[in-house]
Amino acid sequence: MRLLARVAHACIEGSIFVYTSPGQSRVAPALFAATGQTLGTSSSCIQQAPRGFRTFFVVQNAALLWYVGPKQSVPIACKAVFACSLARGLHVLASNGQTERELSRRPSEDDSASIWDWTPPGDLAETAAWKVLRELAMTLSKSKDHMPALRRLDLLPTHELAIRLFYLYDHFRREPVVHSFPDGTQADSALVDKLAYYLWFAEYAYEAGTEPNLKKVLASREYHLNFAKMTATWGEHQPAYYVATHTEKKEVVVAVRGTWAVEDVVTDITALPVAFDGGEHLVHSGMSASALYLFERLYSLAKALKDDYQLILVGHSLGAGAAALLAMMLKSRGISNMHCYAFAPPMCCEPDLASTCSQCVTSVIFRDDIISRISQESVVALYQELVEYDWEAASKHEDTHPELRKYTEMARTVAGSRVGSWLGLSAFTQSSRRNAAANSPALSSRGSEEAEEGSPKGRGQQFPDEDQDEDQGYNPLVPGRVVYIYRANREDGTAGLGRVVTDGTCPGLRRIHLSGLMLADHLTDSYFEALGSTNPTKQDAIGKES
């Protein structure tokens, strides 16, 4: 198994190598050497080529087209790239073997059960490709152990799942989710204005682009840029962030960027629960690693501030989750002059931990934002809605989208034919799925009350009963005190927005809302609108155009 792992590691490193700066610097000479040209301008062309491999590849091929013609340029370039990838792969494979021989004097370990259990010896994963793929593979393979409710689901056929999603989506298009919190504490205008003010810092973690530009826009608000890390680090869960100071307000702002590049997506997907900060509570592993990286660099600053300055942590999406976990780390070490404003954070920590940080973390969730609602229990709840939804009755509803009706008739025709039987589409009825739902171990314990014809069942509490003895696995919540900006009906019957101060246990936050806005509501522009403000970065752009 070790040999297989070494070969796999060498192949991955060789493939990714040409996308890195060291790889590009080696591919370029190979391209020109392959043409047999000794051009005095070749070195300058290479030095001026952009770092991005795609742009770089186009520039090199343009040069080849000019000197050797279109028939030879692409094959030559591909051969050069392949040669460099192969050379890098063989080098890594040989280095693995040499390093393992040097370490052979150490006590031997049992052969790995999986290639992903093997770790390259020494400093061999220069591109971090192996580490990234290993983390993703481990997340997928071990997620079932931490999410038993998902493992117990009786899965719908793909075609039936699709049509139920369509109809349930169409139902919520006609009847959006509306909440009412008559006994809840409404967010006052001072809190709303403060949230809109600090959202700007989270927004500019995305929009700054370059450090000089970031310094300029911060100066327009009388903040001094102390430090900026403008790019995330591939495979290391090291997010982009910046630190800014306002001397008159005696305030230090740390803004953590959210998902912006592939490096950030890797952190999002690495979602296995891990013990947080050496304790017993479980949190999102990728965000925990990001928070630890930030803590190692900012703890000394937080201690040095004493009570003279206020430390403000802000972030959006992934950045919000990392900032919230960082705030918990700082609080546990006695840092009290600090608060975190987390906009659209994912569910990233267990309920007990989420509630204990309410004094130092304020999370903001807008309407149908799906990123802040994805968890094991919310997925199971959505699946329950799909299983119990009477889509056949909904197809007869007069307000159903006409294109959806056409699709339904076509699906019924195919399902009733020989082709449909051959494809396994014959069980395309509501009654067959209800019988399957009754036998599903994951859903049989849920409510059995009847719903109105053509509407979802269980519009209330869609998550497992916490008092059940059966282990539900890892079910995180949104951290801290939560300002939930929800869809509400005004007294005159028109649609509006309400802003209630609650926590992560709020039922409206533990259910996925199928809506055309569930992705748009995650964007910072939507959060500015929800807070009664306008994105200042967009205002700046409009001003420049005018």
Side-chain angles (χ1 to χ4, degrees), residues 404-454:
L404 192 52
R405 290 183 178 179
K406 293 179 181 179
Y407 173 79
T408 304
E409 293 303 321
M410 181 181 66
R412 282 173 171 161
T413 301
V414 173
S417 65
R418 292 184 178 181
V419 175
S421 178
W422 179 70
L423 294 174
L425 306 180
S426 55
F428 204 63
T429 61
Q430 181 69 20
S431 58
S432 65
R433 184 47 47 191
R434 281 176 176 168
N435 293 335
N439 298 324
S440 174
L443 303 179
S444 59
S445 62
R446 307 204 180 242
S448 59
E449 67 278 6
E450 292 296 327
E452 296 180 4
E453 189 176 81

Side-chain angles (χ1 to χ4, degrees), residues 420-497:
S421 178
W422 179 70
L423 294 174
L425 306 180
S426 55
F428 204 63
T429 61
Q430 181 69 20
S431 58
S432 65
R433 184 47 47 191
R434 281 176 176 168
N435 293 335
N439 298 324
S440 174
L443 303 179
S444 59
S445 62
R446 307 204 180 242
S448 59
E449 67 278 6
E450 292 296 327
E452 296 180 4
E453 189 176 81
S455 64
K457 280 180 142 187
R459 293 290 296 272
Q461 201 167 358
Q462 295 290 322
F463 39 87
D465 186 355
E466 294 178 355
D467 295 331
Q468 292 180 358
D469 294 334
E470 189 175 18
D471 180 22
Q472 297 298 331
Y474 173 60
N475 280 310
L477 296 179
V478 172
R481 177 181 63 161
V482 179
V483 177
Y484 178 30
I485 306 173
Y486 59 94
R487 186 184 289 104
N489 288 328
R490 298 191 180 99
E491 294 181 358
D492 59 1
T494 59
L497 295 176

Side-chain angles (χ1 to χ4, degrees), residues 85-303:
S85 296
L86 180 62
R88 171 60 180 171
L90 293 175
H91 169 72
V92 170
L93 184 61
S95 299
N96 282 341
Q98 181 179 359
T99 307
E100 286 197 342
R101 286 192 295 272
E102 292 174 355
L103 299 176
S104 60
R105 296 180 180 179
R106 299 182 182 181
S108 61
E109 298 178 357
D110 295 335
D111 197 15
S112 302
S114 166
I115 63 173
W116 301 113
D117 293 328
W118 177 80
T119 301
D123 186 19
L124 295 173
E126 293 182 9
T127 65
W130 175 266
K131 181 177 180 179
V132 169
L133 292 177
R134 180 178 183 272
E135 287 189 352
L136 297 184
M138 297 299 288
T139 298
L140 292 174
S141 63
K142 294 183 178 181
S143 59
K144 293 182 179 180
D145 297 335
H146 299 281
M147 301 178 182
L150 294 179
R151 186 174 65 248
R152 293 191 296 267
L153 287 178
D154 176 29
L155 297 179
L156 290 165
T158 304
H159 65 283
E160 192 168 349
L161 177 63
I163 198 169
R164 289 173 182 276
L165 279 170
F166 290 151
Y167 272 103
L168 191 58
Y169 177 88
D170 188 63
H171 175 88
F172 287 123
R173 175 187 64 83
R174 292 181 277 110
E175 300 179 24
V177 176
V178 176
H179 289 297
S180 176
F181 298 92
D183 299 327
T185 302
Q186 296 298 311
D188 57 37
S189 58
L191 175 58
V192 172
D193 291 343
K194 180 181 291 187
L195 293 174
Y197 178 81
Y198 287 116
L199 177 57
W200 180 89
F201 294 93
E203 165 70 2
Y204 238 94
Y206 295 106
E207 296 292 337
T210 63
E211 186 172 336
N213 186 43
L214 177 60
K215 184 176 182 179
K216 180 180 178 181
V217 295
L218 286 171
S220 67
R221 292 202 166 197
E222 300 182 356
Y223 280 84
H224 172 72
L225 179 63
N226 301 101
F227 175 82
K229 181 177 183 291
M230 303 303 295
T231 57
T233 303
W234 173 253
E236 299 294 336
H237 305 303
Q238 298 175 3
Y241 72 101
Y242 68 84
V243 181
T245 305
H246 196 298
T247 54
E248 293 185 4
K249 291 185 177 181
K250 293 188 178 298
E251 182 176 88
V252 176
V253 175
V254 176
V256 186
R257 194 185 71 185
T259 303
W260 183 255
V262 176
E263 294 88 340
D264 304 314
V265 175
V266 172
T267 300
D268 290 326
I269 299 176
T270 310
L272 287 178
V274 296
F276 175 65
D277 203 20
E280 299 179 353
H281 297 297
L282 299 179
V283 298
H284 185 288
S285 58
M287 295 178 193
S288 176
S290 297
L292 180 60
Y293 167 79
L294 294 170
F295 175 82
E296 291 173 347
R297 284 148 184 80
L298 298 173
Y299 178 54
S300 298
L301 170 64
K303 286 196 304 181

